[in-house]
């Protein structure tokens, strides 16, 4: 700023300090120009001079690395990871000494940031989260190249988790602009619909978070995390254009965000350094370049979709043969470059900010502020390195016909291969106990589906398949249904259902709809009122349980002979896709159980059933003990004891005792209940230790359960860490009470209370909370084995993964 700090005086810093974010922007310009030597020097400075021992980077620093302003911005921790990937710095030393440390810091401390890119507020920022996700995916690639598959998996799982939650954390559905659904600048607590207030910096005032917008979400496109035609991106841009875009004589320009206070005072005097900060934020030149890169990405996508040909920049011709939408978009992107050039001063220096009004103030500080003209530079930093780098980057990208700074490994994962969640979906809060009581449990599974979010039906509809071609061949009664179209080795395969009858309304529900009606209905065939076909698509490894709702009545599929106990006294129909593999460890006869009486102080008299390994009687050794919630169900439906015996025979695990614990009132006892936890740790464990030859230490005891049983296993360990060291949960219902158990897990310290964890879940039931727990615990340094399978919330799924749980819990 004119009138700001002088770099040759010891005045405590200023724009002459080094920001990792700005150096990244300069790096992209060097790389675009082909100056890899300069690009490498930039990364060397960040890694060798700036990076801290914990892997993080300072808000800014002096040239010798001394700390500047003392803040922490998570995008600045992320950008060096992208730089390392794009420079192909894959050597072991760079990975172990720099990349891994920074990535581990991100996992442990993200995605929330103490400061976002405008350096004024902390919270959940779309632009920061974009950098974090891209940085982790780049770090994962480098980790794989160094043989560190464990870290690579952790980084990818974390990135995927954050990618699937961006909208929940940063997009409002009840805002005051447009249709109410758009990205906001920032949320303090990841709750954009809550109406929380944000007090803007520079004395700008206090506003609801969903009323403050910026275009930082475009980083999601530039860094390869969202497609440019993503519906929420498109809707949010309309809000940006309506709220913070200004047409100047030199072209369109944009404010950082509405109600910004970082700029000249209303009468044109310089930004005041006296602490009153009564300025007004002006237009930022670099934001026009960011919009140009978005339009370039749009043009590339449009051309790829329509022509599948190599991009041809024919718009340079005076008389193009034809006008296409991609050419128009290229023109728009090129106009952004022209505007940035016009924003520059006579010395071709592009400023930070440009004047936003036709009126020229008369009381400006001419010593520090230039003559203020509409669409030209203010007294802000000129040139701003970020602005200059953005201009160079856009120019070279236009020449290349694509955004060269988009990391291909990120784009391929989230846009090309669509690993992330559908970005048009906004995740609503999870259900309460009252909602649980109203669920149609009698028609679903035994243990309450853990997904049950309002957007489940949107997810369920993604399994619909366009069967217009298949319908040319009508279903025949002589065929077997459901029928799979496709074979082994494919990622997804279509499966066709049929219902024959005069009933008018036939709908399918199941694992993939969270066992609630979502309007996925069988079709009517013209002229044939008794034939109703439906085609869905599922991953090739999927196993799915389902029912039909026929004119309001829940029934099993009459044409499908495959049925299974649903845990509530009935059956579900089910089907398996071509690559589904059931467990191989459950073959054999159920062994006999031992049992003893326990007169508990809390729950009164009862019996405790115990499985003793075959060599227990003939041995004098002591055995570890697994305390199994829903024990009788586990014993019968997953063949828990049989699986252990087979694993022991195969030399995979050593024998252990299994104590089968059954709840008195499942919905009460298993709802992360302290009374139940005290009962298990304080009464059952001492009784078992007194009666059997057990290893009487926390390391000799494990807890395991499914659904709510998984939650109560975790809760019991948290309340009694002196008793248990090994904890497992299958499809654990971490959503209860708005993530109460997850919050408690967040308080753990691996150095003080070491645990060993196993968790799994099915992708058809919702993976968000289980992934969150996996990332949380791994980030804290706990050993965690985490698995996902293309299945739902049912006993067969848990049976298929039980051997993995045993291996994870008992293999040291």
């Amino acid at each position: 700023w004119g009138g700001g700090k002088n770099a040759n005086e010891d005045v405590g810093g200023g724009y002459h300090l080094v920001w990792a974010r700005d150096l990244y922007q300069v790096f992209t310009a060097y790389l675009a120009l082909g100056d890899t030597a300069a690009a490498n020097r930039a990364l060397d400075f960040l890694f060798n001079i700036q990076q801290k021992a914990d892997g993080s980077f300072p808000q800014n620093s002096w040239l010798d690395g001394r700390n500047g302003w003392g803040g922490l911005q998570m995008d600045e921790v992320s950008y060096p990871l992208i730089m390392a990937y794009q420079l192909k710095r894959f050597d072991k030393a760079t990975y172990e000494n720099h990349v891994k440390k920074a990535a581990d810091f991100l996992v442990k401390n993200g995605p929330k940031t103490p400061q976002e890119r405008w350096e004024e507020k902390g919270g959940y920022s779309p632009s920061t989260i974009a950098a974090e996700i891209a940085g982790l995916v780049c770090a994962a690639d480098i980790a794989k190249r160094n043989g560190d598959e464990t870290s690579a998996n952790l980084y990818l799982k974390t990135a995927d988790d954050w990618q699937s939650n961006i909208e929940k954390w940063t997009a409002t559905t009840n805002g005051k602009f447009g249709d109410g659904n758009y990205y906001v600048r920032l949320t303090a607590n990841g709750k954009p619909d809550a109406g929380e207030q944000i007090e803007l910096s520079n004395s700008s005032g206090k506003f609801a978070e969903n009323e403050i917008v910026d275009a930082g979400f475009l980083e999601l496109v530039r860094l390869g995390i969202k497609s440019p035609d993503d519906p929420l991106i498109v809707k949010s841009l309309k809000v940006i254009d309506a709220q913070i875009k200004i047409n100047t004589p030199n072209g369109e320009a944009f404010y950082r965000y509405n109600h910004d206070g970082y700029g000249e005072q209303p009468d044109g005097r310089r930004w005041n350094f006296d602490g009153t900060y009564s300025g007004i934020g002006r237009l930022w030149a670099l934001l026009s370049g960011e919009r140009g890169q978005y339009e370039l990405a749009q043009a590339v996508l449009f051309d790829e979709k329509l022509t599948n040909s190599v991009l041809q920049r024919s718009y340079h011709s005076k008389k193009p043969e034809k006008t296409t939408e991609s050419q128009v978009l290229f023109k728009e992107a090129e106009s952004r470059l022209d505007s940035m050039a016009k924003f520059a001063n006579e010395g071709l220096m592009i400023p930070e900010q440009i004047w936003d009004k036709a009126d020229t103030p008369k009381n400006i500080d001419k010593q520090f502020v230039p003559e203020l003209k509409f669409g030209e530079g203010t007294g802000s930093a000129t040139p701003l390195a970020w602005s200059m780098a953005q201009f160079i980057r856009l120019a070279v990208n236009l020449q290349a016909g694509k955004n060269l700074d988009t990391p291909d490994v990120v784009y391929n994962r989230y846009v090309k291969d669509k690993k992330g969640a559908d970005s048009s979906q906004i995740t609503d809060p999870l259900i309460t106990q009252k909602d649980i009581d109203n669920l149609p449990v009698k028609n679903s599974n035994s243990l309450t589906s853990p997904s049950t979010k309002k957007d489940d039906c949107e997810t369920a509809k993604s399994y619909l398949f366009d069967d217009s071609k298949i319908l040319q061949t009508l279903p025949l009664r002589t065929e077997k249904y459901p029928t799979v179209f496709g074979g082994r080795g494919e990622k997804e395969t279509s499966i066709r259902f049929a219902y024959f009858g005069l009933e008018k309304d036939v709908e399918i529900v199941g694992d993939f709809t969270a066992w609630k009606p979502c309007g996925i209905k069988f079709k009517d065939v013209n002229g044939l009122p008794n034939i109703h076909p439906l085609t869905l698509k599922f991953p090739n490894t999927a196993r799915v349980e389902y029912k039909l709702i026929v004119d309001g009545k829940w029934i099993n599929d009459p044409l499908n002979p495959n049925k299974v106990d649903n845990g509530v006294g009935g059956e579900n129909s089910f089907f398996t896709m071509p690559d589904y593999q059931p467990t191989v460890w459950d073959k054999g006869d159920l062994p006999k159980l031992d049992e003893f009486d326990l007169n508990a102080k809390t729950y009164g008299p009862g019996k405790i059933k115990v499985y003793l390994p075959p060599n227990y009687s003939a041995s004098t050794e002591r055995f570890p003990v697994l305390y199994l919630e829903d024990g009788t169900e586990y014993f019968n439906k997953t063949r828990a004891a049989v699986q252990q015996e087979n694993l022991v025979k195969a030399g995979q695990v050593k024998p252990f005792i299994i104590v089968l614990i059954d709840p008195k009132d499942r919905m009460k006892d298993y709802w992360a209940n302290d009374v139940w936890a005290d009962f298990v740790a304080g009464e059952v464990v001492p009784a078992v230790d007194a009666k059997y030859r057990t290893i009487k230490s926390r390391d000799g005891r494990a807890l395991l359960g499914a659904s709510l049983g998984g939650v109560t296993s975790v809760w019991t360990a948290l309340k009694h860490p002196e008793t248990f060291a090994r904890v497992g949960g299958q499809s654990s219902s971490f959503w209860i009470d708005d993530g109460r158990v997850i919050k408690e897990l967040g308080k753990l310290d691996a150095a003080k209370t070491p645990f060993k964890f196993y968790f799994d879940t099915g992708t058809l039931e919702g993976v968000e909370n289980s992934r969150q727990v996996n990332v949380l615990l791994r980030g804290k340094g706990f050993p965690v084995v985490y698995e996902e399978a293309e299945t739902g919330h049912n006993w067969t799924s848990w049976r298929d993964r039980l051997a993995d749980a045993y291996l994870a819990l008992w293999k040291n």
Side-chain angles (χ1 to χ4, degrees):
W1 278 91
K5 308 292 187 180
N6 292 321
N8 61 345
E9 298 175 4
D10 187 10
V11 290
Y15 273 33
H16 51 280
L17 294 172
V18 182
W19 276 258
R21 177 176 46 258
D22 292 65
L23 190 52
Y24 160 75
Q25 305 293 341
V26 172
F27 159 89
T28 62
Y30 284 141
L31 208 58
L33 293 170
D35 190 350
T36 55
N40 272 293
R41 290 197 299 273
L43 183 57
D44 287 340
F45 177 86
L46 292 174
F47 278 161
N48 300 327
I49 305 298
Q50 270 203 350
Q51 190 173 24
K52 297 181 179 181
D54 64 2
S56 69
F57 294 79
Q59 177 181 1
N60 49 38
S61 78
W62 296 86
L63 286 174
D64 60 7
R66 283 179 295 128
N67 198 37
W69 291 355
L72 171 64
Q73 299 167 11
M74 298 298 281
D75 61 345
E76 295 192 305
V77 183
S78 308
Y79 287 130
L81 302 176
I82 302 173
M83 295 164 71
Y85 173 79
Q86 292 182 311
L87 283 173
K88 296 181 171 57
R89 295 278 287 270
F90 303 145
D91 59 282
K92 183 178 180 180
T94 297
Y95 170 65
E96 293 184 347
N97 297 330
H98 302 291
V99 171
K100 188 177 189 306
K101 289 182 177 180
D104 287 346
F105 185 89
L106 284 176
V107 170
K108 292 179 182 179
N109 297 281
K112 193 172 183 179
T113 181
Q115 292 180 341
E116 37 80 88
R117 71 176 183 165
W118 302 132
E119 304 193 284
E120 297 169 346
K121 293 292 177 182
Y124 295 84
S125 153
S127 61
T128 298
I129 296 173
E132 291 174 311
I133 293 169
L136 286 173
V137 173
C138 289
D141 183 89
I142 300 173
K144 287 181 181 178
R145 294 173 187 271
N146 282 272
D148 188 356
E149 291 289 341
T150 300
S151 293
N153 182 60
L154 171 61
Y155 302 154
L156 290 177
K157 291 291 187 184
T158 305
D160 290 348
D161 179 68
W162 295 352
Q163 196 271 355
S164 68
N165 279 289
I166 295 168
E167 292 79 23
K168 183 180 79 172
W169 293 328
T170 66
T172 181
T173 62
N174 61 359
K176 63 185 293 187
F177 309 127
D179 67 356
N181 182 201
Y182 50 83
Y183 284 104
V184 299
R185 171 198 167 194
L186 185 79
T187 64
N189 298 302
K191 298 179 179 179
D193 288 341
E196 295 183 25
Q197 297 288 301
I198 179 173
E199 185 168 355
L200 301 180
S201 297
N202 305 306
S203 305
S204 297
K206 184 178 289 188
F207 302 87
E209 289 178 337
N210 60 8
E211 294 181 13
I212 305 299
V213 296
D214 78 347
F217 59 85
L218 289 181
E219 289 291 271
L220 294 166
V221 176
R222 185 182 73 84
L223 291 174
I225 296 154
K226 298 289 184 184
S227 175
D229 65 351
D230 179 284
L232 188 57
I233 296 285
V234 174
K235 282 200 296 185
S236 298
L237 275 175
K238 292 179 181 179
V239 173
I240 293 303
D241 287 350
Q243 299 302 319
I244 60 175
K245 183 180 79 172
I246 297 291
N247 289 312
T248 80
N250 291 326
E252 293 179 348
F254 303 86
Y255 295 110
R256 292 196 304 177
Y257 53 86
N258 47 338
H259 304 294
D260 187 6
Y262 182 57
E264 273 85 4
Q265 296 176 66
D267 60 3
R269 286 177 296 151
R270 60 183 168 134
W271 185 79
N272 46 327
F273 296 88
D274 58 7
T276 59
Y277 305 125
S278 57
I280 297 176
R282 310 298 171 177
L283 304 167
W284 280 57
L286 67 90
L287 296 177
S288 296
E290 289 188 350
R291 184 63 170 265
Q293 284 201 251
Y294 168 74
E295 289 158 344
L296 176 56
Q298 276 186 306
V300 172
L301 180 67
F302 186 87
D303 192 79
E304 287 177 348
K305 281 186 174 182
L306 289 188
T307 67
N308 283 325
S309 63
V310 178
L311 193 58
Q312 301 295 328
R313 299 181 69 247
S314 60
Y315 66 85
H316 280 306
S317 305
K318 293 183 179 179
K319 295 181 179 180
E321 295 181 3
K322 61 179 180 178
T323 300
T324 66
E325 183 153 344
S326 63
Q327 289 171 332
V328 171
L329 289 165
F330 265 105
K331 273 293 187 183
E332 291 180 359
E334 195 174 49
S335 73
R336 307 293 182 188
L337 190 71
D338 294 338
S339 294
M340 291 188 73
K342 293 175 183 177
F343 296 154
N345 63 17
E346 292 180 355
L348 303 182
M349 295 180 179
I350 305 175
E352 175 189 88
Q353 298 185 35
I354 55 179
W355 190 248
D356 60 342
K357 300 180 182 301
D359 298 334
T360 300
K362 303 186 184 301
N363 296 321
I364 62 174
D365 302 318
K366 292 187 177 180
Q367 179 182 355
F368 306 110
V369 180
E371 183 178 355
L372 295 172
K373 295 181 179 180
F374 195 14
E376 296 185 13
T378 67
S380 59
T382 307
L384 185 72
W386 188 349
S387 297
M388 302 296 286
Q390 177 62 74
F391 178 86
I392 294 170
R393 190 169 71 204
L394 178 57
V396 176
N397 286 348
L398 283 167
Q399 187 177 49
K402 63 181 181 179
N403 287 317
L404 299 171
D405 47 303
T406 301
D408 57 356
V409 70
V410 183
Y411 179 88
N412 290 341
R413 184 172 186 83
Y414 294 117
V415 179
K416 185 177 179 181
D417 297 336
K418 301 185 185 301
K419 292 282 187 182
D422 180 357
S423 61
S424 65
Q425 297 172 11
I426 307 300
T427 304
D428 289 326
L430 298 171
I431 65 172
T432 64
Q433 173 66 58
K434 183 179 179 181
D435 298 319
I436 289 291
D437 294 338
N438 295 327
L439 283 175
V441 178
K442 64 179 181 180
N443 292 316
S444 61
N445 298 306
S446 59
L447 300 178
T448 307
S449 174
S451 187
T452 52
K453 296 176 294 185
K454 293 181 180 179
D455 67 348
D456 280 334
C457 287
E458 292 301 315
T459 302
K461 290 175 182 177
S462 69
Y463 295 102
L464 282 167
F465 181 79
D466 181 6
D467 58 2
S468 55
K469 294 182 179 179
I470 299 175
L471 284 179
Q472 295 174 6
T473 305
L474 292 175
L476 300 175
R477 288 183 181 273
T478 55
E479 294 179 353
K480 178 183 177 182
Y481 293 99
T483 299
V484 173
F485 289 82
R488 293 185 178 276
E490 300 176 17
K491 284 187 177 180
E492 288 187 332
T493 303
S494 56
I495 181 168
R496 192 181 195 188
F497 302 81
Y499 183 83
F500 297 96
L502 294 176
E503 290 83 358
K504 296 183 179 299
D505 192 89
V506 184
E507 180 174 353
I508 190 170
V509 294
D511 289 330
F512 63 104
T513 73
W515 288 96
K516 63 183 179 183
C518 287
I520 302 179
K521 297 189 177 184
F522 286 57
K523 296 186 177 182
D524 294 328
V525 179
N526 290 336
L528 298 170
N530 65 328
I531 298 179
H532 306 277
L534 173 69
T535 308
L536 304 176
K537 66 179 185 300
F538 288 96
N540 232 31
T541 57
R543 178 191 177 277
V544 185
E545 295 187 14
Y546 71 102
K547 269 184 164 60
L548 303 183
I549 306 177
V550 180
D551 284 353
K553 182 180 179 181
W554 291 57
I555 66 171
N556 285 316
D557 186 345
L559 300 181
N560 186 354
N562 297 317
K563 297 176 178 60
V564 66
D565 181 357
N566 67 10
V568 289
E571 293 180 322
N572 291 331
S573 296
F574 75 92
F575 61 86
T576 60
M577 302 304 283
D579 289 340
Y580 164 73
Q581 295 291 335
T583 183
V584 298
W585 301 105
D586 61 347
K587 307 300 186 291
D589 296 330
L590 291 177
K592 291 183 178 180
L593 295 175
D594 195 35
E595 67 179 29
F596 66 91
D597 295 321
L598 176 64
N599 189 12
K601 297 177 182 178
T602 311
Y603 292 98
K607 290 186 179 294
I608 301 294
K609 298 177 181 178
V610 179
Y611 162 76
L612 299 173
N615 64 331
Y616 179 83
S617 298
S619 172
T620 59
E621 66 179 298
R622 293 189 174 275
F623 291 81
V625 184
L626 172 65
Y627 290 84
L628 197 57
E629 303 287 354
D630 288 308
T632 302
E633 295 263 61
Y634 255 106
F635 181 79
N636 293 315
K637 292 178 178 172
T638 73
R639 304 177 69 80
V642 174
Q643 292 208 47
Q644 184 200 152
E645 291 183 355
N646 288 331
L647 287 167
V648 170
K649 290 176 183 176
Q652 297 295 307
V653 295
K654 293 182 179 180
F656 54 92
I657 295 170
I658 302 178
V659 178
L660 310 180
I661 311 174
D662 296 317
K664 307 296 182 182
D665 181 343
R666 192 169 192 282
M667 294 298 286
K668 178 181 178 181
D669 298 337
Y670 279 7
W671 205 272
N673 188 323
D674 287 355
V675 175
W676 182 262
D678 294 344
F679 163 68
V680 173
E683 299 197 66
V684 177
V685 169
V688 170
D689 282 348
K691 183 172 179 59
Y692 302 102
R693 294 195 312 278
T694 62
I695 297 176
K696 296 179 175 61
S697 69
R698 65 186 302 270
D699 195 54
R701 303 188 189 101
L703 288 158
L704 178 66
S707 191
L708 285 174
V711 162
T712 202
S713 294
V714 172
W715 192 256
T716 301
L718 289 175
K719 293 302 173 182
H720 296 277
E722 75 288 347
T723 305
F724 302 98
R726 304 167 188 263
V727 190
Q730 298 192 273
S731 299
S732 305
S733 302
F734 287 118
W735 48 265
I736 65 168
D737 298 339
D738 198 22
R740 174 165 59 97
V741 180
I742 299 177
K743 293 172 184 175
E744 287 298 313
L745 286 170
K747 300 175 184 178
L748 285 177
D749 185 334
K752 295 180 179 178
T753 313
F755 281 112
K756 189 173 187 178
F757 291 102
Y758 168 85
F759 296 112
D760 65 37
T761 193
T763 58
L764 301 182
E765 58 178 307
V767 298
E768 176 182 304
N769 291 324
S770 292
R771 285 181 178 174
Q772 181 183 356
V773 168
N774 174 43
V775 168
L776 170 70
L777 294 175
R778 283 176 175 264
K780 287 179 169 291
F782 288 101
V784 184
V785 174
Y786 175 72
E787 294 187 1
E788 291 179 5
E790 310 289 355
T791 61
H793 195 79
N794 52 65
W795 281 108
T796 304
S797 301
W798 304 327
R799 183 186 67 198
D800 286 341
R801 299 192 292 264
L802 183 59
D804 294 330
Y806 285 168
L807 292 172
L809 291 174
W810 294 120
K811 267 201 169 183
N812 293 317

